[in-house]
Amino acid sequence: MKNGILWIKAPASYTIEAAGVMAVVLFTMMVLLNQAFHVHAETTGCFIVHETVERERHKIENQDEPEITRQAQGVRWSLELTASVFCPEELMRMWSLAE
C-alpha cells in the first residue's frame, strides 16, 4: 500500500484480455437490447392492429361489410388481419334454429 492506494501488480496481458472481454460483453448487451426493442415494437404493433379490428367489427356502421381488414408494418415485420363483421342478429337466428 503506497500513499493510501492499494496497487496490484498484474501483467499487461490481463489488461488486454479484460479489454477484449469487455468489448464482447458490451457488444452482446447491445445486440440483446436491440432485439428486445424489436420484439417490443412488433408486439405493440400487433396488439394495436388486433384491437382496431375488434373495435371495427363490432361497430354498427360496418354491419353491411362482410369483413374488416387492417394492416400495419414496422421495421422487419408486417401484419394483415382480416375478421368477419360480428352480426348479433344472425347469431340469435342460429340459436333459435338450434332450439
Side-chain angles (χ1 to χ4, degrees):
M1 192 169 209
K2 189 177 194 183
N3 296 335
I5 299 173
L6 178 64
W7 293 94
I8 298 174
K9 294 192 176 200
S13 62
Y14 287 150
T15 306
I16 300 299
E17 289 174 11
V21 168
M22 284 306 295
V24 170
V25 167
L26 292 176
F27 180 75
T28 304
M29 288 184 64
M30 181 182 67
V31 168
L32 290 174
L33 279 172
N34 185 23
Q35 289 300 315
F37 284 128
H38 169 69
V39 169
H40 176 266
E42 182 177 356
T43 305
T44 304
C46 290
F47 271 117
I48 289 171
V49 172
H50 277 90
E51 182 182 11
T52 303
V53 168
E54 284 299 316
R55 288 185 187 274
E56 293 289 323
R57 72 185 288 248
H58 287 86
K59 284 187 178 178
I60 294 174
E61 298 90 38
N62 297 328
Q63 188 173 5
D64 297 332
E65 297 179 26
E67 56 188 25
I68 301 292
T69 302
R70 297 290 180 263
Q71 49 182 288
Q73 186 173 2
V75 178
R76 296 186 293 172
W77 68 271
S78 64
L79 175 70
E80 182 175 346
L81 187 64
T82 303
S84 61
V85 173
F86 177 71
C87 186
E89 291 85 16
E90 287 182 23
L91 182 66
M92 289 181 192
R93 287 188 195 120
M94 296 302 268
W95 276 108
S96 66
L97 285 175
E99 289 179 356

